[in-house]
Amino acid sequence: MCDTLVALPEATKDGVAIFAKNSDREPNEAQVLEYYPRMRHDEDYVRCTYVKVPQVKETYAVLISRPFWMWGAEMGVNEWGVAIGNEAVFTREPYRKTGLTGMDMVRLALERCRTAREALELIIRLLEEYGQGGNCGYTRPMYYHNSFLIADPREAWVLETAGEYWAAQRVKGVRSISNALTIERDWDMAHPRLIDHAVEKGWCRDDDDFSFAKCYSNPLMTKLAKGRERHRFTQRTLERRFGSIDLAYVVKIMRSHSRDPHFEPFKGSMRDICMHAGGLTRPSQTAGSQVSLLYEKAAVHWFTATSTPCISAYKPVFIEAGLPDLGPKPTGTFDPRTVWWRHEALHRKMLCSYRRYALELRGRIKVLERELRAEALDARAKYLAGEVDEKGLLELTRKAFEASAALEREFMERVKPGRCLNPFFAFYWWRVNRQAKFS
């Protein structure tokens, strides 16, 4: 399960659009942070996760975060400041065994589009031509449809789908999406047979009785996913600070748990924005997080590149500079050489002693992030003035990853695992660790 949000310039303190997403996947489903520069192509097709589509002559530079086994991206941004995140939504329309995944459509749109509107129109064309489908589960089959939040420095769109049917809504000020359809009748664009199809299926009587969210949603799966509850929380939280939203406020949202001041992972809930896996009713956890300041020039993107943002540092990345060498790419097997698994080792060591260490760790992370924010804004200003080049920006990203790794090493040495008093939670994680060959 996931959550994505945007605050457009009129809603933020500094007049810059802010985009954010938490990507929730299975606990061993490592997420890869990757940079691809602008490239020319000679090949006729590009192979996505399950199907191939014609390749274009040129793809734009992209910064993406993707499940290690998929071609497509859960979230990302391109050189033009277009940022996209997708959400699983559960509908009454049948799921196809093959097609483009929502993640495939995210990456294709980032590689090929200069504006949010252009990306919206491309995803609709891909949906119509190839359809959406394919298993999106790592260790167990999982099929769903997709919603998308598509933003650029000036505007943003929500696109919600159910099979081949869709509705799109232009964002006014602030907007969030989660694992539920949210558009009722107030769309700006829609599939031409959106209402007629629902009437033919008996989901509503006529135009006056129609609501896209109500007619097309699968009530049981939508309820179990708690997407409506998380959407209400993030939307209201954004609206509460309209006009004064800033990076720190959005990061706080992405780290939030369900209003529990005494949170511990075994008490987690599907209502959490920062999600911790815990068993059959909570099989996912936040595998990566992105918060982007979508300046017109030299946007600053903050990625954890690791799970559980409540105890992860956001590191600044500039698409003009790309990424430093982050070592091997993670897979579903524990590998201490990788950024993702080194953090995950700390997270799992803290599972049953979270309250003992999390407060101090979060405090240290916040101090680090304050320093990095100041340095990132200074580096951006100097870059725009011609006083710092791409190597200088890249050095800041490298420094941020090294500082975060040093903090994790310190706490790995200090943290004592603790005794888990919830046997079901302990057994669940014993199985998860065994599958990842983690000890």
Side-chain angles (χ1 to χ4, degrees):
M1 305 298 108
C2 307
D3 295 278
T4 312
L5 58 86
V6 68
L8 291 175
E10 62 267 27
T12 66
K13 181 179 179 181
D14 298 319
V16 56
I18 304 177
F19 169 91
K21 176 176 175 177
N22 277 3
S23 170
D24 299 346
R25 308 291 303 186
E26 293 182 37
N28 289 334
E29 196 173 356
Q31 201 139 133
V32 183
L33 180 63
E34 293 177 319
Y35 168 75
Y36 293 93
R38 186 186 287 211
M39 290 185 284
R40 300 288 297 178
H41 299 275
D42 296 323
E43 65 272 23
D44 294 328
Y45 293 92
V46 56
R47 181 74 187 182
C48 301
T49 304
Y50 296 114
V51 300
K52 63 180 183 179
V53 302
Q55 182 60 286
V56 293
K57 294 299 182 184
E58 183 179 54
T59 53
Y60 301 130
V62 295
L63 184 62
I64 59 172
S65 185
R66 64 175 180 87
F68 74 91
W69 62 276
M70 286 185 175
W71 181 86
E74 278 275 326
M75 54 195 175
V77 66
N78 70 15
E79 63 181 278
W80 303 102
V82 178
I84 312 176
N86 80 304
E87 304 284 332
V89 291
F90 305 98
T91 79
R92 290 175 167 176
E93 287 295 296
Y95 301 118
R96 293 176 41 163
K97 296 297 183 181
T98 189
L100 289 172
T101 68
M103 286 64 70
D104 292 336
M105 289 186 271
V106 168
R107 181 169 175 177
L108 287 168
L110 289 173
E111 289 184 343
R112 301 177 181 203
C113 299
R114 296 187 178 210
T115 67
R117 179 61 182 260
E118 190 179 337
L120 168 72
E121 293 171 352
L122 175 61
I123 293 174
I124 292 170
R125 291 199 301 273
L126 293 169
L127 187 67
E128 293 171 345
E129 186 169 355
Y130 300 96
Q132 57 181 320
N135 173 35
C136 294
Y138 171 45
T139 63
R140 61 189 185 282
M142 187 175 186
Y143 294 86
Y144 50 76
H145 295 139
N146 293 270
S147 65
F148 304 86
L149 185 51
I150 309 164
D152 66 29
R154 297 161 294 283
E155 69 171 350
W157 287 83
V158 170
L159 172 64
E160 297 184 344
T161 74
E164 66 183 275
Y165 300 94
W166 56 270
Q169 183 183 67
R170 188 170 183 172
V171 173
K172 298 176 181 177
V174 297
R175 189 67 156 84
S176 69
I177 60 172
S178 189
N179 303 111
L181 298 176
T182 62
I183 298 174
E184 301 284 348
R185 291 187 58 90
D186 50 345
W187 60 75
D188 294 283
M189 301 166 58
H191 188 284
R193 283 188 41 80
L194 189 69
I195 299 176
D196 292 343
H197 179 69
V199 173
E200 291 167 4
K201 286 288 188 178
W203 298 336
C204 63
R205 295 185 301 274
D206 51 32
D207 289 19
D208 293 335
D209 188 40
F210 179 78
S211 156
F212 178 52
K214 291 178 183 177
C215 288
Y216 280 83
S217 292
N218 178 315
L220 177 60
M221 289 299 296
T222 300
K223 182 176 181 180
L224 291 174
K226 304 296 182 188
R228 296 200 189 286
E229 294 174 57
R230 282 182 280 118
H231 163 66
R232 282 195 295 268
F233 169 75
T234 52
Q235 185 69 27
R236 290 171 181 172
T237 305
L238 289 171
E239 292 171 352
R240 194 176 300 133
R241 286 280 295 270
F242 193 98
S244 60
I245 296 169
D246 60 9
L247 175 64
Y249 187 69
V250 172
V251 166
K252 183 178 180 181
I253 295 173
M254 308 318 284
R255 284 176 166 151
S256 62
H257 303 116
S258 55
R259 305 181 186 88
D260 185 354
H262 305 296
F263 173 82
E264 293 186 66
F266 78 86
K267 294 165 60 179
S269 163
M270 290 292 287
R271 299 177 181 85
D272 296 330
I273 306 304
C274 174
M275 197 171 294
H276 299 246
L280 182 63
T281 61
R282 200 170 72 256
S284 300
Q285 70 180 24
T286 301
S289 185
Q290 171 188 352
V291 181
S292 288
L293 298 176
L294 299 179
Y295 294 104
E296 294 273 359
K297 295 181 180 180
V300 188
H301 311 291
W302 299 83
F303 284 87
T304 59
T306 53
S307 71
T308 52
C310 64
I311 52 171
S312 293
Y314 285 87
K315 281 75 79 173
V317 185
F318 298 84
I319 203 164
E320 291 82 0
L323 288 168
D325 182 5
L326 298 179
K329 294 179 181 180
T331 67
T333 301
F334 175 68
D335 184 349
R337 300 173 302 160
T338 65
V339 170
W340 196 89
W341 276 109
R342 283 198 300 269
H343 169 80
E344 188 59 19
L346 174 60
H347 168 236
R348 296 185 189 194
K349 195 172 185 181
M350 288 176 59
L351 281 172
C352 296
S353 56
Y354 181 91
R355 285 185 62 188
R356 181 176 177 184
Y357 300 102
L359 186 62
E360 182 187 358
L361 177 55
R362 284 200 297 268
R364 294 281 298 280
I365 287 172
K366 288 180 180 179
V367 170
L368 172 61
E369 288 177 342
R370 279 197 297 269
E371 296 172 356
L372 292 173
R373 287 171 194 166
E375 292 183 41
L377 292 177
D378 181 62
R380 176 180 180 269
K382 290 180 178 177
Y383 176 77
L384 292 173
E387 299 171 9
V388 167
D389 61 9
E390 289 81 3
K391 290 182 179 179
L393 300 179
L394 185 63
E395 175 60 21
L396 175 57
T397 301
R398 185 196 62 77
K399 173 185 172 182
F401 273 90
E402 287 188 355
S404 176
L407 188 57
E408 289 171 355
R409 286 194 299 270
E410 176 189 336
F411 273 78
M412 273 296 290
E413 293 177 0
R414 293 175 49 191
V415 167
K416 298 187 185 309
R419 183 180 178 186
C420 186
L421 301 179
N422 183 319
F424 298 103
F425 183 78
F427 178 70
Y428 168 79
W429 276 101
W430 175 81
R431 289 182 58 197
V432 167
N433 289 337
R434 186 179 181 187
Q435 290 166 356
K437 299 179 181 178
F438 174 81
S439 57

